[in-house]
Amino acid sequence: MAVAETHWKGGIILHALPAEGACMTLDQLAARTGLARDRVTRLVTPLNKNGLVSMVRLGCYRRTPAGDSALAAGKFKSGPKGPKRVPSKKSGLKDKLWSALRMLRKATVPELLELVDTTGLKDPDGLTTRYLLHLRKAGVTGLARKRVAGTAPTSNGYSQHILLRDLGPKAPVWKATAKQLLDPNKGGQPILPTAEVEHD
């Protein structure tokens, strides 16, 4: 996506979000703006990191006073009018999970899947758990000592996955034939494993 396009689409997100009152979920933002849900996630991430929007609760956002100031100063425009562009290719599950993990920094599997469109996927929980296992074995993520309480009476809770090594915007890729996790941000170099430890 071009920088200019990213900029004005970030403005679309800011214009769509409320500054007070109820927050908006990613699905609501996608419906209001006409953008694909995964595109909305990618646009919200830098806005959140720069303090222009805030996550009121998991997956639900509101514009901040800094966001108001950015709009008032003309730093973001609502964007050109015209037909909507159809994304040429949908991101894979690992790309969406990686974007969500980089945004949250610490999350359970249910929290990650709350931010990811899993339409048409079989066993998204299992796929997510396996991908996180590859990340953890390579030392990209770690496990928090404390588990998050589950909703079922018999549940022993959910593991919290902590991002330890932010490798860049491109998601690490598991190469099954070589049994290696590769870093596309560095031309597909293998990610060397590190010692697995628990974190607070």
Side-chain angles (χ1 to χ4, degrees):
M1 190 191 304
V3 173
E5 183 186 5
T6 301
H7 190 72
W8 68 253
K9 284 192 173 179
I12 290 178
I13 299 296
L14 282 179
H15 278 280
L17 281 171
E20 54 186 22
C23 56
M24 288 186 70
T25 66
L26 295 172
D27 286 331
Q28 290 172 329
L29 275 171
R32 175 169 290 190
T33 61
L35 299 172
R37 191 181 189 276
D38 59 341
R39 178 71 61 84
V40 170
T41 300
R42 291 197 297 272
L43 291 169
V44 165
T45 299
L47 295 175
N48 185 48
K49 285 185 177 179
N50 288 292
L52 302 180
V53 306
S54 64
M55 187 164 61
V56 180
R57 56 182 174 81
L58 183 64
C60 199
Y61 297 86
R62 185 186 298 147
R63 193 171 69 241
T64 65
D68 291 338
S69 298
L71 288 178
K75 293 181 180 180
F76 288 89
K77 305 297 182 182
S78 60
K81 306 299 180 182
K84 298 171 185 174
R85 296 181 62 185
V86 178
S88 58
K89 183 179 180 182
K90 287 188 175 182
S91 299
L93 177 63
K94 70 177 188 311
D95 301 296
K96 299 173 184 177
L97 289 172
W98 181 248
S99 294
L101 185 59
R102 292 182 75 216
M103 179 171 64
L104 296 176
R105 315 306 287 190
K106 179 195 288 188
T108 64
V109 168
E111 286 171 339
L112 288 172
L113 290 177
E114 174 69 23
L115 300 180
V116 172
D117 183 4
T118 58
T119 304
L121 287 178
K122 293 182 179 179
D123 190 23
D125 289 73
L127 292 171
T128 300
T129 299
R130 286 191 289 276
Y131 184 61
L132 289 170
L133 178 61
H134 294 316
L135 294 180
R136 191 168 81 247
K137 285 186 174 181
V140 177
T141 64
L143 287 179
R145 289 189 178 90
K146 294 182 179 179
R147 297 172 69 90
V148 175
T151 54
T154 57
S155 172
N156 63 349
Y158 298 108
S159 296
Q160 287 185 295
H161 301 267
I162 305 170
L163 182 62
L164 302 178
R165 298 161 65 186
D166 191 342
L167 303 173
K170 296 180 181 179
V173 178
W174 173 248
K175 191 74 171 178
T177 54
K179 295 185 178 180
Q180 285 184 318
L181 192 67
L182 307 180
D183 184 0
N185 299 283
K186 293 184 177 180
Q189 293 182 11
I191 302 172
L192 299 178
T194 60
E196 186 176 339
V197 296
E198 289 188 328
H199 301 265
D200 293 325

